Structures are given as C-alpha cells and as structure tokens.
Amino acid sequence: MLGGTLPIPLYALRAPRMGFGPFTTTLVFAVYALGTVLALMAFASLSDRVGRRPLLAAAVLATATSTALFLLADDVGTLLTARFLCGIRTGVFTATATAAMGDLAGAERTRRVSTVSTAANMGGVGLGTVAGGLFAQYGANLTHLVFWSYLAGLVPAFLAVIVTPETVTARQWITRRRAAPAFLVAGVAVFEARLWARSLPTFAGGTLLAGTGVNLAFRRGVGGAQRLADPRRTADRLSTYFLFAYTGTIVPTLALGLLDQTINQDVATLILAVAVVATPLASALSRPTTAIA
C-alpha cells in the first residue's frame, strides 16, 4: 500500500521533464483508480478459488514491474502504464491480503484482523507520501533512489508470501464470468493512455485487449440470449440482441464526430473512453453472482 502513494510527491519533479501539466497529473491519478477498481472487479474473488498465495505472489511481481516502469519512465505513456499497473496490484492486495489474514487468524480473531488490515492499508497510504517526500527532499538521486529502495523492500515481502501457508484447499480455475469486462476496461485504458502519448504499438496492443473483451462479451451474450429465449422465438430474441450490439458500434462513432466539432479530439475520446469503461463496470458490479457459462 505504501508503494501506491510513493510516487505522488515526485510528480512535481517529473512534470517539467516530461512536459505535462495539471490535466495529465489528474489523468495519472484517474488511471490508478481505474486499475484498482478493475482489479477489485476482476480479481477480488479469484483467490477464493485459486488460492491466496498465487494472487499475492502475482501482486508482488506486478508491484516490482510497476516500480521498474517508474524507474524507466521518461514519457507520459510509460508513467501512465506504471500507474495503471500499480492500481491493479493495489486492488489485488487490498482484498486478498485481508482475506488471507482472516483465514490464518481464525474466526475468533476477526477484530484483530480488521485492526491490522486498517493499520496496514491506511498506514501504508500515509507513509508512502511521507517517504516519497523525504527521498525527494534529501535523496541523492531525486526520482530513482526511492524506487530502488522500494524494490529492495519487495524481496522480503515476496519471501514472506512464499512461506505463508496456503489456506484455500479446494481450487477452481474458472474465471470467465468477469473476464470480458476486465479485458475491455484494460484495453480501453491502455490505448487511451497511449493515444495521449502518441505511441502506435501500445495503442494497437490496447485495441487488441479491448477487442478480446468485446468478443468474449459478445459470445456470452449470444449464448445467454439463446438460453433465455422462448424456443419458439429464438430468432426474435437474437435479432433484438444483434440490434443493440450493432447500435453499440455506431453510437460512439457518431458521438465522437459530434464532440470533435466543439472540443479537442483527445478530450472527446477521453470522454467516450470513460463512458465505455463505466458501462461494463456497472454491469459487472451489479450482476448476480450466478454466472452464465
């Protein structure tokens, strides 16, 4: 949790070097929040099925990757990517680590678990900004030493995860229920970030991710429509489904054309990206837990 707020005091130092202003700084914070929400939506319950340790170990490795990206970042796109990945691992840690502590402590120590969890989460968030500010003020290498130190601190954290007993015994690798919105949201976030950074390869990669999410959602939608329809009216139900699906491909294009007449094109695409992301997020979070296979 400390690593989530560690870079905040350094943005003022990076802004002049990378040439970004207040809006990009706001976007950096928004990307972090988006990654956290996406992780909570897609991965929060995954450790209940595949185990605590795999998720925690993956989160530590994701933390190391995002920290390495902060070390290498010399453009806005890399900074946004690092921040997005940082948000994802924060979402995984928040749910999984607390659940693991609860398993290990037992039902009779729930009050202690909640106290330790709160102290770790809120304490880490507060200490991150303090540590980042201290390194920025007194460190020899203003924007790198803090991340090297944090990477060193991840080594014992990873070892602690490895030696911690696994508490989930019945493992199930079924994860399709929220895979579609997860791919879609991640793809939109990646290509939108790189659109601002003017990076074609990563824009294409984000498009591929989003396209994967669309295809997964479309396939599951067709299957759901077939099962829900009266056998005598299957074609009618499917035609309605396809009508809404293809309407969804037309509306954003028309909206972008209209917005582009009055505001900057980058801002227009950002508005549409937020709308596209909000739709599957709201759907996934409000959907019943019983999945349609």
Side-chain angles (χ1 to χ4, degrees):
M1 297 306 296
L2 182 147
T5 54
L6 202 61
I8 292 176
L10 306 177
Y11 293 149
L13 300 175
R14 289 181 179 267
R17 299 179 187 179
M18 297 183 182
F20 64 82
F23 178 77
T24 302
T25 302
T26 304
L27 187 61
V28 169
F29 281 93
V31 164
Y32 174 78
L34 176 62
T36 302
V37 171
L38 175 63
L40 289 171
M41 179 189 75
F43 305 124
S45 62
L46 188 58
S47 70
D48 293 333
R49 299 188 295 275
V50 305
R52 313 295 187 207
R53 285 199 304 179
L55 264 292
L56 289 174
V60 174
L61 294 176
T63 302
T65 303
S66 67
T67 306
L69 288 174
F70 278 119
L71 280 168
L72 298 173
D74 58 0
D75 61 87
V76 174
T78 305
L79 182 63
L80 290 173
T81 303
R83 199 64 178 145
F84 179 68
L85 186 58
C86 189
I88 288 180
R89 60 91 178 166
T90 297
V92 174
F93 274 133
T94 301
T96 308
T98 304
M101 283 193 297
D103 295 341
L104 293 168
E108 67 278 6
R109 295 189 179 93
T110 54
R111 184 185 296 271
R112 181 178 298 180
V113 170
S114 63
T115 300
V116 173
S117 175
T118 301
N121 280 278
M122 297 298 101
V125 168
L127 288 174
T129 53
V130 173
L134 289 174
F135 272 92
Q137 184 71 31
Y138 302 109
N141 191 327
L142 298 182
T143 57
H144 287 76
L145 181 60
V146 61
F147 295 117
W148 283 116
S149 301
Y150 184 63
L151 276 175
L154 290 176
V155 175
F158 185 76
L159 294 176
V161 170
I162 296 301
V163 301
T164 299
E166 178 57 70
T167 58
V168 177
T169 54
R171 311 230 178 144
Q172 300 176 350
W173 296 87
I174 308 285
T175 59
R176 293 181 298 169
R177 181 168 51 133
R178 293 181 176 175
F183 272 107
L184 179 59
V185 172
V188 171
V190 170
F191 75 61
E192 182 64 26
R194 285 305 189 172
L195 180 64
W196 283 77
R198 301 296 190 265
S199 172
L200 180 59
T202 312
F203 177 83
T207 304
L208 181 62
L209 278 175
T212 301
V214 169
N215 285 324
L216 288 172
F218 191 84
R219 182 184 65 81
R220 288 173 60 77
V222 170
Q226 288 177 314
R227 281 186 291 275
L228 292 172
D230 185 322
R232 296 167 297 180
R233 301 189 61 186
T234 301
D236 185 30
R237 176 63 63 92
L238 287 174
S239 65
T240 303
Y241 174 78
F242 281 110
L243 172 64
F244 279 95
Y246 285 110
T247 299
T249 66
I250 298 170
V251 171
T253 306
L254 295 176
L256 180 61
L258 292 173
L259 289 172
D260 194 33
Q261 302 299 314
T262 56
I263 59 177
N264 178 275
Q265 189 177 64
D266 289 342
V267 178
T269 58
L270 180 61
I271 292 172
L272 287 175
V274 171
V276 169
V277 165
T279 303
L281 279 177
S283 174
L285 292 175
S286 62
R287 189 166 49 200
T289 54
T290 302
I292 298 177

